[in-house]
Amino acid sequence: MLALLIVGVLGTAFSAVIDPTLTEWRLLETDHEQVMFPIRDYILEVKAFRPDVYDTNPLYTELFKTDKPTTMMALLFAGNWNKQVGRLVWNNIKYVRPYDIAIEECDARYQAYPVFPANGEKEQIWAWNFFEDHVELTCNGVMMYEQNFDEGDVNPRKPGLPEKCRALGDAEVDRITFKHMAGEYIRAVPKDGIIVEPTTSPLDVPTLPKEDEDFTTEPTEAATEEEDLDDNIFAEIYPTCDCWTVECGYCSNLECTVQHDIVNSPIDIQVTSEVHWREMNSIMLYDEEGDAIGSFQWSLKGILLTGCVNCQTPPAIRNIQPGSQASWVFSMTQENEALVVRISILGEVLWEQELIGECAERYGKADRFAFFDSTCEGKFIFVKSLMVAGDRITADCAGACNGE
């Protein structure tokens, strides 16, 4: 501990010096641990433990959370604790959707693992190895991820890429904050390959979720504003701000909209709201120029898409309890010559309709959306890497939700 304190005082003078005991396995006792670690000189190894119960296809509200038992996070700093240069997020399972790993400064979206970590074994040894031109991540010796610092993603909706990726490669990272990793172990492996084995064996099994916490069968509730959304790399939970107001020009003010390539994006519009027989859940859709092209509305009674769809809901939707909250997903996908519109709940498609001809052409241009006749109690997932929010799309809808 004294060595760590001395290093902290020296600040930028710290280079290849490291607490000698860190070459042995060290237990992370809390969900926020800070360690001096010259990552150019040492390989960061993490001993992780896959939970006994997990869900490889959770709701998006769970998938994006970084405090779940499958997720690990390391914040990289250079020179002092105020200069964060990198954020690594990875999981000890492989998800059905490609949301396994991301370096925020290099990836515009999460990446998929090539295989399930450690072939499904409970104990896993992860190794982050930083080189001058790239970084590698292995699990039990199998390559799981590789990123060249000169080949960061280019995405106009995520400012700073790819320059931040190259900057991460150039940074003299000398300290790391580990988050949401209590019960895991870390150690520094010298790049000369000499490993100091621990004098005391770590516990075989850390604290894990209780046996009755079945993540595969229990419905997942939507995240709330009280959660630590700052730790979520690409997603935040926002209210469904109503654009049918004077301030929003009755849905004509683009500052009340979210720019999003709905048809081509891997992320759909994900909402949690109450469902009723008569009151509609309503989304206004716009083209690339910001002109409204129509609205999508649905209730327990019917489904409407301006100019193209007007139908009754199927039994799967009518059977939902009126007044209950539902986490639902609205999607539009180009499939051959048709544009397929869907409503999904809990990963199950409850309604779909093929659009062809003029309808497919019209709604295939959807590049922006907004909510109308909505309430502050409704929530949607704002994915920072793929969406651009207007100035009035905020955590309190630019003050409109302060009193609710």
Side-chain angles (χ1 to χ4, degrees):
M1 180 61 70
L2 179 59
L4 289 178
L5 291 175
I6 294 174
V7 168
V9 172
L10 292 177
T12 55
F14 183 84
S15 56
V17 180
I18 194 169
D19 178 3
T21 65
L22 198 56
T23 57
E24 301 181 1
W25 287 115
R26 176 180 296 182
L27 173 65
L28 299 176
E29 298 182 349
T30 70
D31 281 330
H32 186 98
E33 299 269 351
Q34 293 184 317
V35 176
M36 302 301 294
F37 198 106
I39 209 163
R40 286 180 177 269
D41 302 317
Y42 292 83
I43 299 170
L44 169 62
E45 283 198 344
V46 177
K47 179 180 287 191
F49 301 87
R50 173 189 52 73
D52 291 326
V53 180
Y54 55 89
D55 186 358
T56 60
N57 192 24
L59 295 178
Y60 279 106
T61 47
E62 279 295 305
L63 188 61
F64 285 114
K65 293 171 62 178
T66 56
D67 59 351
K68 55 187 183 295
T70 57
T71 303
M72 296 167 280
M73 177 188 290
L75 308 182
L76 309 181
F77 298 83
N80 61 72
W81 292 109
N82 295 318
K83 186 180 179 182
Q84 181 178 321
V85 295
R87 175 150 54 173
L88 321 176
V89 177
W90 73 106
N91 289 273
N92 56 36
I93 66 172
K94 178 176 173 60
Y95 288 107
V96 172
R97 301 182 183 95
Y99 293 94
D100 300 326
I101 181 171
I103 297 179
E104 182 178 14
E105 291 68 28
C106 298
D107 298 310
R109 63 192 65 172
Y110 278 96
Q111 305 297 309
Y113 291 145
V115 295
F116 201 98
N119 198 29
E121 293 294 322
K122 186 179 187 67
E123 183 176 299
Q124 307 168 350
I125 304 297
W126 295 85
W128 284 98
N129 196 353
F130 278 72
F131 300 89
E132 287 188 6
D133 61 343
H134 74 288
V135 58
E136 298 175 356
L137 175 65
T138 62
C139 181
N140 289 21
V142 176
M143 183 71 69
M144 303 297 283
Y145 172 88
E146 186 174 8
Q147 176 64 58
N148 188 305
F149 294 124
D150 289 322
E151 298 176 1
D153 289 347
V154 178
N155 191 320
R157 298 184 179 182
K158 191 173 182 189
L161 295 184
E163 293 80 9
K164 289 183 179 179
C165 191
R166 181 62 263 173
L168 172 60
D170 295 335
E172 295 289 341
V173 175
D174 61 1
R175 61 199 73 198
I176 303 176
T177 296
F178 297 95
K179 303 201 70 174
H180 315 305
M181 292 176 61
E184 318 286 19
Y185 290 82
I186 62 169
R187 71 175 174 183
V189 178
K191 292 201 173 184
D192 59 14
I194 302 175
I195 301 175
V196 180
E197 292 299 329
T199 56
T200 304
S201 298
L203 298 176
D204 292 331
V205 182
T207 303
L208 292 170
K210 298 178 181 178
E211 293 295 329
D212 59 356
E213 292 182 356
D214 188 350
F215 295 100
T216 63
T217 58
E218 292 296 321
T220 301
E221 295 182 357
T224 64
E225 291 179 4
E226 285 72 28
E227 291 174 342
D228 188 4
L229 299 175
D230 289 337
D231 291 338
N232 201 326
I233 288 185
F234 300 127
E236 296 181 1
I237 309 300
Y238 279 176
T240 50
C241 305
D242 187 2
C243 70
W244 198 255
T245 64
V246 173
E247 293 79 8
C248 291
Y250 299 102
C251 298
S252 65
N253 182 354
L254 297 187
E255 298 302 335
C256 301
T257 68
V258 178
Q259 186 180 0
H260 180 47
D261 187 359
I262 301 169
V263 176
N264 299 308
S265 174
I267 298 296
D268 303 315
I269 300 176
Q270 306 141 53
V271 185
T272 297
S273 63
E274 289 188 359
V275 292
H276 301 273
W277 278 103
R278 296 182 179 275
E279 297 176 18
M280 310 285 279
N281 285 288
S282 304
I283 299 175
M284 186 69 73
L285 301 171
Y286 306 79
D287 62 16
E288 189 174 4
E289 286 72 38
D291 297 323
I293 57 177
S295 63
F296 177 78
Q297 297 177 279
W298 74 280
S299 69
L300 299 180
K301 183 179 180 180
I303 299 173
L304 304 173
L305 182 64
T306 306
C308 295
V309 176
N310 187 345
C311 64
Q312 291 185 336
T313 54
I317 291 180
R318 291 200 302 271
N319 289 337
I320 299 174
Q321 180 67 32
S324 63
Q325 272 206 341
S327 293
W328 52 278
V329 177
F330 169 70
S331 64
M332 295 194 298
T333 307
Q334 191 72 45
E335 298 181 8
N336 299 320
E337 298 299 319
L339 183 68
V340 183
V341 186
R342 295 185 175 94
I343 299 175
S344 304
I345 295 180
L346 294 176
E348 180 182 357
V349 176
L350 301 188
W351 172 85
E352 66 178 10
Q353 176 70 52
E354 286 190 359
L355 304 181
I356 59 174
E358 292 182 2
C359 285
E361 182 180 358
R362 174 180 177 178
Y363 286 99
K365 299 176 181 178
D367 190 66
R368 190 181 293 268
F369 69 91
F371 301 98
F372 66 97
D373 292 338
S374 54
T375 70
C376 298
E377 285 73 27
K379 308 293 179 185
F380 83 101
I381 294 181
F382 173 68
V383 184
K384 295 185 287 186
S385 60
L386 297 173
M387 300 177 180
V388 178
D391 288 345
R392 298 188 66 84
I393 304 297
T394 65
D396 66 351
C397 298
C401 288
N402 275 338
E404 297 196 28

